[in-house]
């Protein structure tokens, strides 16, 4: 009897999963996923390190899995919706963008929504009796306006393991929008919405599904995307003596791209030059 009851229970769960998701099984792998712990690193084993900042453009095809869907769909959300949901329900800490220290000032959820474009408007309306009254209407933000991200990374060589490794330190959404006084959309505005300390967000990103173009049955998660480097980006700054100035402060146009490639090659060549063939 106990076995029959168990089988009936499993049939009920299977039917519910099939009814809600259109699947013959219940999806439990991603929601129970835990991030892989980082390898322990001693300070004495780090013989070289460099902090760099990258920019991810979501308009690039290689980054569309971070931008879509614009609304929750098929159990998936865009990266910005995952981060906002983490701030709202899971206590993820957001930090104010203040230039030198990305993680110095905590920003409230209300201010996060304001930075995303949420605002209140006072409208004058007339009721059925002809009376005029003011009504406050809250205009919701549009998460699709986030069209880029900044990454702060630490690259280092661990002589104990003889590998060049990387740790993502922080991630910052970039909101691209147009002002109300720019009806022709001629001057796009860019705003850094907030910074997230990446190690704190790893668990949330591990439990959020991301689209896999090759297999719907084996969805990736956002932790996979960042740790396996499944995204396209370019370097726009590196740690330097000049108050960590960006490349655009001393180079223009094509020279910016060449300088970004030079920094990338410098990191690659450092590891290769340590080996003797």
């Amino acid at each position: 009897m106990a076995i029959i009851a168990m089988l009936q229970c499993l049939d009920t769960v299977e039917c519910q999963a099939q009814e809600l998701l259109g699947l013959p099984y219940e999806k439990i792998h991603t929601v129970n996923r835990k991030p892989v712990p980082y390898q322990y690193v001693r300070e004495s084993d780090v013989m070289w390190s460099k902090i760099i900042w990258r920019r991810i453009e979501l308009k690039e095809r290689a980054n569309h899995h971070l931008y879509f869907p614009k609304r929750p769909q098929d159990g998936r959300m865009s990266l910005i919706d995952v981060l906002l949901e983490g701030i709202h329900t899971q206590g993820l800490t957001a930090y104010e963008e203040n230039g030198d220290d990305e993680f110095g000032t905590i920003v409230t959820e209300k201010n996060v929504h304001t930075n995303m474009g949420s605002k209140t408007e006072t409208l004058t309306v007339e009721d059925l009796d002809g009376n005029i009254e003011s009504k406050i209407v809250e205009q919701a933000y549009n998460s699709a306006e986030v069209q880029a991200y900044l990454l702060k990374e630490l690259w280092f060589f661990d002589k104990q393991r003889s590998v060049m490794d990387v740790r993502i330190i922080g991630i910052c959404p970039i909101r691209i929008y147009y002002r109300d006084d720019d009806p022709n959309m001629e001057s796009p505005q860019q705003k850094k919405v907030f910074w997230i300390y990446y190690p704190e967000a790893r668990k949330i990103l591990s439990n959020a599904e991301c689209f896999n173009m090759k297999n719907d049955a084996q969805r990736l998660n956002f932790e996979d995307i960042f740790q396996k480097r499944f995204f396209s980006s370019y370097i726009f700054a590196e740690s330097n003596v000049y108050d960590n100035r960006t490349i655009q402060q001393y180079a223009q146009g094509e020279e910016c791209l060449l300088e970004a490639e030079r920094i990338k090659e410098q990191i690659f060549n450092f590891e290769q030059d340590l080996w003797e063939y």
Side-chain angles (χ1 to χ4, degrees):
M1 295 297 294
I3 296 177
I4 296 176
M6 184 180 298
L7 293 175
Q8 291 176 345
C9 181
L10 291 176
D11 290 339
T12 303
V13 172
E14 181 177 329
C15 292
Q16 290 177 349
Q18 186 172 4
E19 179 181 354
L20 295 176
L21 302 176
L23 299 173
Y25 55 87
E26 182 183 6
K27 303 181 71 172
I28 59 175
H29 289 168
T30 302
V31 295
N32 295 325
R33 180 86 175 268
K34 294 182 180 180
V36 178
Y38 285 141
Q39 183 75 28
Y40 176 74
V41 179
R42 299 185 306 168
E43 181 181 4
S44 58
D45 290 333
V46 178
M47 59 180 298
W48 178 91
S49 68
K50 173 73 71 174
I51 294 178
I52 66 170
W53 286 264
R54 293 180 179 272
R55 183 180 175 105
I56 301 175
E57 295 289 350
L58 299 187
K59 291 183 178 180
E60 295 186 26
R61 183 181 180 131
N63 298 325
H64 281 181
H65 50 286
L66 302 176
Y67 183 69
F68 295 100
K70 295 183 179 180
R71 295 183 179 87
Q73 175 184 344
D74 192 23
R76 296 183 295 111
M77 293 190 294
S78 63
L79 177 57
I80 182 59
D81 287 334
V82 171
L83 295 177
L84 293 172
E85 182 68 17
I87 294 173
H88 179 62
T89 63
Q90 302 187 47
L92 184 62
T93 306
Y95 296 89
E96 187 72 38
E97 200 291 316
N98 54 10
D100 296 335
D101 187 5
E102 293 91 348
F103 312 106
T105 305
I106 296 177
V107 60
T108 64
E109 184 178 358
K110 181 178 180 181
N111 288 338
V112 167
H113 292 174
T114 301
N115 293 340
M116 284 290 298
S118 177
K119 57 184 178 181
T120 57
E121 295 182 352
T122 303
L123 302 179
T124 302
V125 296
E126 182 179 355
D127 59 16
L128 297 177
D129 298 329
N131 299 321
I132 304 298
E133 60 180 8
S134 297
K135 185 176 182 180
I136 298 178
V137 179
E138 183 174 355
Q139 181 178 350
Y141 59 82
N142 181 12
S143 60
E145 291 181 341
V146 173
Q147 300 178 20
Y149 288 92
L150 303 183
L151 288 184
K152 183 178 182 180
E153 298 178 334
L154 173 65
W155 286 82
F156 63 94
F157 186 84
D158 182 1
K159 68 179 183 180
Q160 178 68 25
R161 295 179 292 145
S162 298
V163 295
M164 179 71 75
D165 207 346
V166 59
R167 295 283 192 274
I168 299 177
I169 302 174
I171 182 171
C172 175
I174 302 294
R175 175 176 167 243
I176 301 177
Y177 65 100
Y178 297 91
R179 297 194 305 265
D180 294 336
D181 57 355
D182 185 16
N184 296 326
M185 299 183 178
E186 297 177 350
S187 302
Q189 306 295 310
Q190 298 192 28
K191 183 176 181 59
K192 298 177 183 178
V193 183
F194 53 80
W195 276 94
I196 294 293
Y197 184 56
Y198 185 83
E200 181 186 357
R202 291 186 69 205
K203 181 65 170 64
I204 296 174
L205 297 179
S206 297
N207 299 143
E209 280 193 348
C210 187
F211 190 76
N212 184 354
M213 290 187 293
K214 296 183 178 181
N215 189 352
D216 284 342
Q218 296 293 330
R219 290 278 173 82
L220 301 172
N221 58 59
F222 288 105
E223 170 73 358
D224 293 331
I225 297 299
F226 287 111
Q227 295 306 311
K228 297 178 182 179
R229 316 294 292 182
F230 291 160
F231 60 87
S232 174
S233 65
Y234 62 88
I235 298 172
F236 71 91
E238 66 172 336
S239 55
N240 56 75
V241 69
Y242 305 107
D243 296 330
N244 292 339
R245 67 179 181 179
T246 64
I247 294 177
Q248 290 184 341
Q249 291 180 274
Y250 62 91
Q252 298 294 328
E254 185 179 355
E255 294 180 356
C256 291
L257 298 178
L258 295 176
E259 178 67 6
E261 287 297 316
R262 183 195 68 80
I263 296 172
K264 185 172 69 173
E265 287 295 322
Q266 180 187 32
I267 296 174
F268 176 79
N269 290 335
F270 180 87
E271 180 183 13
Q272 299 302 311
D273 293 343
L274 293 175
W275 301 98
E276 182 175 339
Y277 301 95

